[in-house]
Amino acid sequence: MRPIPGECRCPCGRGEVAVAVGFSLRDDGDVRWISIGLRCLTDNTLGVYADWKINYGPSGHLLSQA
């Protein structure tokens, strides 16, 4: 199991970011992957901060928890 993500900072040295959550779904609608993406508000650098593979089901309830 991966450690829980901590503080983030862009390589430009700033810490102000926009956050997005992305989901990859299985054919039956269950969640397969969750990804956390960040965009630096200073220089617009994009990156995936964390992602998790979901190995259980049903997992559709995760969509409403973001």
Side-chain angles (χ1 to χ4, degrees), residues 5-20:
E7 183 179 331
C8 64
R9 187 168 301 275
C10 178
C12 78
R14 303 292 298 218
E16 192 171 340
V17 297
V19 179

Side-chain angles (χ1 to χ4, degrees), residues 22-54:
F23 296 93
S24 173
L25 303 179
R26 295 185 180 94
D27 290 338
D28 64 3
D30 273 349
V31 175
R32 185 174 62 142
W33 282 89
I34 300 174
S35 297
I36 309 291
L38 303 177
R39 179 179 59 87
C40 175
L41 297 180
T42 301
D43 67 3
N44 290 318
T45 297
L46 299 171
V48 175
Y49 183 60
D51 61 350
W52 296 271
K53 184 174 184 181
I54 307 303

